Amino acid sequence: MPGTPVRRPCMEKRAVDVAIIGAGTAGMVAYQRVRKATDRVVLIEGDQYGTTCARVGCMPSKLLIAAAENAHQMQLGDLFGVSAGAIRVDGKRVMERVRTERDRFVSGVINSVEKFPEAHRLRGHARFVGPNHLVVGNNLEVQAGRIIIATGSRPNIPGFLKEAKDRLVVNDDIFEWQDLPDSVAVFGPGVIGLELGQALSRLGVRVRMFGVGGAVGPIQDDSIRDYALKTFNEEFPLDPDAEVKNVERVDKGVAITFVDGDGGEKTETFDYLLAATGRRPNVDGLDIQNAGIELDDKGLPLFDPHTLRCGDSHIFIAGDANNSLPLLHEAADEGRIAGDNAASYPDVRTGLRRTPLAVVFTDPQIATVGLTIQQVDERCRGCFAVGEVSFEDQGRSRVIGKNRGLLRVYGEHGSGLFMGAEMFGPAAEHIAHLLAWSAQRRLTVSEMLEMPFYHPVIEEGLRTALKDLNRNLSIGPVPEEGCTDCGPGV
């Protein structure tokens, strides 16, 4: 009847020591750490179980890349005097294996979550109604002494790309394809764009890649960026600072008008437009304004990267949700730090942050270790040296037909410490680990050169770069007034 008050269902209430929002990598690790200290914990998931890595990230992308690498290697047969006849890519079988193996990885994650006590698992969208209070779904209120935000991230799509309409896809969509398309325009030459774009190209898909600002993946060293850009352009067109005039959905797909290398306008039509334009943290649906914590101008919580604590509060934020280091191993580390600190609160301590390490699984691979060249310059006040090696004439690389790439390593004048490196080349995923371990152990370049190097291996290229760096380093006291007597710098 008109005027009759709406009767709201009674809210079920639960009180816990720690509530964790998000059951991805960071959330699951945080839960395991918290549970060592208390059984009064809940893990809240508003979507499906299965981490970003397993469902739409690391694993399915590497499955697609593996198929592409096999196709590419078969095309190199003539280099070795081996002929396998005509190469045919069966797109349906490629995508079937991607989905099947992806589902296997996801099921493993789901099985792990389902082993957690049922009383600890809550399903439903969580939002803050107060600093210590969450509402989950429509009928459950959770009062928590501490809260960990581990809600992950999602693709960020610039508005003009939405003109592609039903032909606009993100990486999540690609892994659901039943077959490979004929053509794809990729916007964003970051990690996702480079990996998927090159893989699709090697599987016979016509690819053109557009960027803004000139960046190529995570590369910061101009010498390596230029080398990588030239190499990628030998496989597919990549403009890292493209001038795109128009994106339009047309009968045959997506028409993209852009300024070509000669300065004229050109229009090409593609079956799909892949938006690989970064990701945004999933905090905007949490009613975070009710959490009582300070936010930046984008509405993201301000936090201490060493403790993951938001200001002086009882709230912690970990994984992709804090938009800091969107890598699985970093998410796991942050889950551990946030979980330990939430469990021991108010005793909050700095957690172990490992040496920065990132790998892009293109071919050649890209790797960044330790400090970037700009960070080294700032940290050492310009007092550093660089060593490098080209893999074009490196022995093992030539033997296996992978002799493309460049490695640059950075060391500090005076101390001789190894500071960081960037690489675009063969076996970068393995060389990067050796360099990360050396940086974390704070080895000098001389100490690194004392380590064993087998022959013939690609790692001998690393030794060559380190020898070059060692020759350029000045060891001993550094003049206070600067680095003028320290020898070669950049």
Side-chain angles (χ1 to χ4, degrees), residues 349-402:
R349 302 185 181 187
T350 296
L352 171 65
R353 300 311 301 255
R354 305 175 209 267
T355 293
L357 167 64
V359 177
V360 184
F361 290 85
T362 51
D363 179 27
Q365 294 178 337
I366 301 169
T368 61
V369 176
L371 302 181
T372 67
I373 191 167
Q374 292 87 353
Q375 290 170 333
V376 173
D377 189 21
E378 181 179 346
R379 179 79 59 88
C380 300
R381 294 181 296 175
C383 203
F384 71 100
V386 178
E388 73 173 44
V389 63
S390 167
F391 286 89
E392 293 180 4
D393 290 319
Q394 198 275 324
R396 181 62 187 278
S397 300
R398 289 194 66 86
V399 166
I400 62 176
K402 297 280 189 180

Side-chain angles (χ1 to χ4, degrees), residues 194 216-219 224 228 232 358-362 364-368 423-425 428-429:
L194 288 175
V216 178
I219 301 172
I224 295 180
F232 284 128
V359 177
V360 184
F361 290 85
T362 51
Q365 294 178 337
I366 301 169
T368 61
M423 179 177 178
F424 176 72
E429 62 181 294

Side-chain angles (χ1 to χ4, degrees), residues 318-334:
D320 291 6
N322 65 36
N323 205 32
S324 177
L325 296 167
L327 301 166
L328 180 136
H329 68 278
E330 295 287 358
D333 281 353
E334 292 191 353

Side-chain angles (χ1 to χ4, degrees), residues 236-352:
F236 53 86
L238 193 173
D239 185 348
D241 195 15
E243 186 177 352
V244 176
K245 296 293 188 178
N246 191 50
V247 173
E248 182 182 5
R249 174 70 165 96
V250 295
D251 289 343
K252 294 184 178 181
V254 183
I256 299 173
T257 302
F258 57 95
V259 177
D260 63 16
D262 297 324
E265 286 193 8
K266 182 178 182 180
T267 299
E268 287 189 22
T269 301
F270 302 86
D271 290 335
Y272 290 97
L273 187 159
L274 168 61
T277 44
R279 297 178 69 86
R280 59 185 300 179
N282 290 327
V283 299
D284 47 342
L286 295 176
D287 285 346
I288 197 75
Q289 71 277 3
N290 297 327
I293 55 178
E294 188 176 358
L295 308 176
D296 65 14
D297 56 1
K298 296 181 179 179
L300 302 178
L302 297 176
F303 68 99
D304 182 338
H306 303 290
T307 65
L308 303 179
R309 185 182 184 186
C310 298
D312 294 326
S313 76
H314 56 280
I315 297 173
F316 303 82
I317 186 166
D320 291 6
N322 65 36
N323 205 32
S324 177
L325 296 167
L327 301 166
L328 180 136
H329 68 278
E330 295 287 358
D333 281 353
E334 292 191 353
R336 171 180 47 79
I337 295 169
D340 287 345
N341 280 330
S344 64
Y345 182 85
D347 181 15
V348 175
R349 302 185 181 187
T350 296
L352 171 65

